[in-house]
Amino acid sequence: MRAKATLITGAAGEVGQALIQALAKERAKDRNTDGDNGRHILTMDLNPLPAHLATSVTHIQASILDTATLDRLISEYEIEEIYHLAALLSTRAEFSPDAAHRVNVEGTMGLLHLAAQQSEWRGEPVRFLFPSSIAVFGLPDQHTKQQYARVREWEWNYPSTMYGCNKLYCEMLGIYFSRHYRQLAADRGPSLDFRAVRFPGLISADTLPSGGTSDYGPEMLHAAAQGKPYACFVREDVRIPFMAMPDAVKALVDIAAVPLEVLSRPVYNITSFSLSAGDFRDRVRSFFPDCQITFKPDSKRQRIVDSWPSDLDDSTARRDWNWSPDYDVERAFAEYLVPMIRRRYEGIEVPIGKESPDQQLG
Ligand code: SER
């Protein structure tokens, strides 16, 4: 019999690393109460995992486009759930749009096929969790961005980047596979259970993003904590929504856990707080008064954030599956980002009793 498994693609990335910690902790708890139920966490990435994560999972260092590896995986494991995190982010995708299309679209298509096959074999839909993005929105100009401050899921779905186009199309592919694929031929149930959340810019205390356009937030903070100067690549006044990494993981785990019937849509906006780049600098400065942050906008990256909404309306997620971030802006900086980043760069211990993201994720 094949062992049951959860597959995480893009596992060595920012969200992947945080998700592994959360899922591994959950599995360890399950094992303590139910004994070893044989469920594995399989991770896939082009890069190796950091040593502290590698012990709790089975890591496959390979591309999601490597079909031979995917075939081997499904011959060895019964995959019940897929967190498909692998993607080239928005700035990187502008530099290599063909590679982005291959990884972001063809890679997703391959995994949707794999999930549909597995669902058919099991007679039960595989859960497919997909992190989408604010990049699926594209507001045409500053005036419109100000006018439509909190954007709903179906508004302004006119992405201006390759990454945004890829994410929006893959949301649609996921919906197609879950609702329509093969159903004309036979009256089967859904061929897979596709659920997506649209993340705002994510900020982690443990890792730095690479190749994204919301990266200026985390980069500013990590640079300040290391006493390094930082030139922010967007204007001070541009505003987008953000979220602390423990909340991003919580959103994925929470939406995966609810019964399908409570979800009124396959794709949800989620957010936590909205800041201009100048507000972000001020927050950072209040904890690191000597920080040297300047603004040196890059026109291409500026155009990308100018097209993203200044805030998201996530009321449907709040209503349907009780989505609510644990970290508002105050808590995110004071109780997660700053203490954890200090611990990382300055060796300052977090006082006992202060919340750590590990506790949050547990
Ligand atoms: N953080 C992503 C990026 O900047 C957007 O979802 O590309």
Side-chain angles (χ1 to χ4, degrees), residues 9 32 35 102 123 142 167 180 185 233 241 266 273 280 305 332 335:
T9 71
N32 286 340
R102 264 195 308 280
Q142 307 245 27
K167 284 287 182 190
H180 309 297
F233 56 77
F273 50 86
F280 209 112
V305 277
E335 295 182 32

Side-chain angles (χ1 to χ4, degrees), residues 10 15 38 77 98 129 151 195 250 266 276 294 329-330 344 356:
V15 182
Y77 296 94
D98 293 339
L129 286 311
V151 172
R195 306 172 181 204
K250 176 174 119 122
S276 71
T294 50
V329 66
E330 301 291 340
R344 177 184 164 137
S356 81

Side-chain angles (χ1 to χ4, degrees), residues 88-91 132-135 163 199-202 209 211-215 308:
L88 260 63
L89 293 184
S90 55
T91 294
S132 189
S133 161
I134 40 169
Y163 173 75
F199 284 135
L202 300 181
T213 317
S214 58
D215 297 6
W308 291 350

